[in-house]
Amino acid sequence: MNIQIKNLSKKYGNHHALSQLNLSIGSGMFGLLGPNGTGKTTLMKILATLQAPSSGEVRFGELLLGKDDHEIRKVVGYLPQHFGLYERLTGEEFLDYIAILKGIRHPVHRKKQIDAVLEEVNLADKRKFKIRTYSGGMRQRVGIAQALLGNPQIIITDEPTVGLDPEERIRFRNMLGELSVDRIVLLSTHIVGDIETSCTELAIMHAGNVLFQGQPETLLDRMEGKVWTTIVNKQESAEIRSKKNFLSQRTVQNGYELRVLSDETPIGQAVLASPNLEDAYMALIGGHSIE
Ligand SMILES: Nc1ncnc2c1ncn2[C@@H]1O[C@H](COP(=O)(O)OP(=O)(O)OP(=O)(O)O)[C@@H](O)[C@H]1O
């Protein structure tokens, strides 16, 4: 299974949320990275058949969005950004309810699937606990469990790591990584760290467009020799930060460590740094082309 998106556009009134977007998504974990308001949720909703595009084409293998939506819903599991859980139900009861809504009618089939998904998200031992007792990470794992019911080939998650503490975030990402071994897992996020450690491929989105699609390593290769770091005082820092090639700043013991984008030494004492994904993200979002 793969997803082919061609010239996809979505307008809300006069606002272009997506503009002629092209993406090709194969199996594995695919990260969709972009600032808030950039159109990620709109794209996820379109892929989950919850919203129609204004124009363009989306194919899931042979299935065409808009024509084969009933079939597409069987191959797609979706964890929305704002996901309501029934606090009074146990994890198991909630999944049973969703399984019925998904049309898994036979109680034996339902039980088998619920057992399997609870194992997959590592919640089997908490199945009899009420959802109101679950931590943020456990709630997101129930969210993935419901998306997995029906055994879809594609799992779409919209900003699933927001609100998780660092440990939960890492565990959650690892779990998505395991699920992506034999599926497409789409992870939308504005957190660079989510992508850095877990995605085999990524797209960087900004203002309804895709600025880059490919492997994280490709992006890092393109940044090689262009990222410089320098330690400066407060006044120098303010000066550099006002320039277009400024990437990021970190407070250190003897001042501020700045990272800047440049084809040659930007200032005397700057040294060449090993580029990271955040550098690439900041450069692309800042309007620099990285070829
Ligand atoms: N139903 C709507 N009507 C009008 N404008 C909308 C609607 N939904 C989204 N938008 C606008 O479209 C743009 C893209 O929104 P979208 O929610 O897809 O972005 P996003 O990248 O997912 O951001 P966030 O993480 O904040 O949800 C935003 O400017 C948003 O205000």
Side-chain angles (χ1 to χ4, degrees):
M1 178 69 73
N2 65 356
I3 310 174
Q4 297 292 341
I5 302 171
K6 281 196 194 136
N7 298 325
L8 191 72
S9 295
K10 176 71 184 177
K11 272 171 71 174
Y12 297 111
N14 285 330
H15 179 72
H16 291 260
L18 300 175
S19 309
Q20 300 277 317
L21 187 135
N22 292 290
L23 272 182
S24 168
I25 304 171
S27 21
M29 188 133 146
F30 190 99
L32 192 66
L33 182 65
N36 287 331
T38 226
K40 301 185 301 294
T41 297
T42 299
L43 176 61
M44 305 282 109
K45 281 189 184 161
I46 290 174
L47 296 180
T49 74
L50 296 174
Q51 205 170 41
S54 305
S55 60
E57 189 185 285
V58 181
R59 283 184 189 277
F60 296 79
E62 300 291 302
L63 303 172
L64 182 62
L65 190 83
K67 178 172 157 282
D68 305 311
D69 288 5
H70 187 69
E71 293 304 307
I72 290 170
R73 279 178 206 130
K74 291 185 190 158
V75 297
V76 172
Y78 178 49
L79 174 60
Q81 188 172 15
H82 303 290
F83 175 58
L85 281 166
Y86 295 84
E87 302 285 322
R88 285 162 188 270
L89 297 185
T90 64
E92 186 177 57
E93 286 165 350
F94 173 70
L95 291 172
D96 194 53
Y97 169 67
I98 299 291
I100 292 169
L101 291 184
K102 284 197 176 185
I104 310 169
R105 294 216 172 81
H106 200 292
V108 176
H109 293 167
R110 270 208 313 279
K111 167 129 186 17
K112 218 169 143 189
Q113 283 220 23
I114 291 167
D115 287 349
V117 298
L118 280 168
E119 276 306 324
E120 280 202 278
V121 303
N122 212 357
L123 273 181
D125 57 337
K126 298 287 188 304
R127 61 193 299 158
K128 304 275 185 211
F129 288 58
K130 291 214 192 306
I131 286 174
R132 71 173 139 79
T133 66
Y134 283 10
S135 69
M138 286 161 71
R139 283 160 186 263
Q140 288 304 69
R141 282 189 274 146
V142 180
I144 291 293
Q146 64 78 31
L148 285 169
L149 289 168
N151 197 20
Q153 286 305 292
I154 300 164
I155 300 287
I156 296 174
T157 66
D158 193 359
E159 303 256 8
T161 61
V162 168
L164 301 189
D165 67 35
E167 192 199 331
E168 285 180 324
R169 173 171 289 157
I170 292 167
R171 284 183 67 179
F172 188 78
R173 279 195 315 236
N174 290 345
M175 184 197 75
L176 288 184
E178 281 164 25
L179 294 174
S180 74
V181 171
D182 46 10
R183 295 183 183 88
I184 296 178
V185 174
L186 208 57
L187 167 71
S188 126
T189 182
H190 65 271
I191 300 160
V192 179
D194 282 348
I195 306 275
E196 208 147 35
T197 47
S198 48
C199 293
T200 40
E201 193 151 339
L202 87 154
I204 294 182
M205 266 183 83
H206 187 43
N209 286 303
V210 172
L211 303 178
F212 171 86
Q213 180 192 347
Q215 296 178 334
E217 298 78 34
T218 310
L219 197 51
L220 293 180
D221 282 350
R222 290 190 194 168
M223 293 290 286
E224 204 59 61
K226 294 183 179 179
V227 180
W228 300 78
T229 166
T230 181
I231 294 178
V232 293
N233 62 31
K234 198 170 180 183
Q235 194 191 334
E236 292 164 319
S237 152
E239 201 178 304
I240 297 174
R241 276 188 286 132
S242 68
K243 293 189 179 150
K244 208 174 169 294
N245 63 347
F246 164 73
L247 293 173
S248 60
Q249 169 175 300
R250 193 165 69 94
T251 307
V252 290
Q253 218 170 21
N254 49 345
Y256 301 92
E257 186 187 73
L258 270 61
R259 293 171 81 85
V260 292
L261 183 74
S262 177
D263 286 331
E264 53 211 53
T265 322
I267 42 174
Q269 73 277 30
V271 292
L272 209 49
S274 174
N276 58 40
L277 215 50
E278 190 171 73
D279 297 326
Y281 177 67
M282 292 306 288
L284 282 168
I285 299 294
H288 300 277
S289 74
I290 307 173
E291 294 302 331

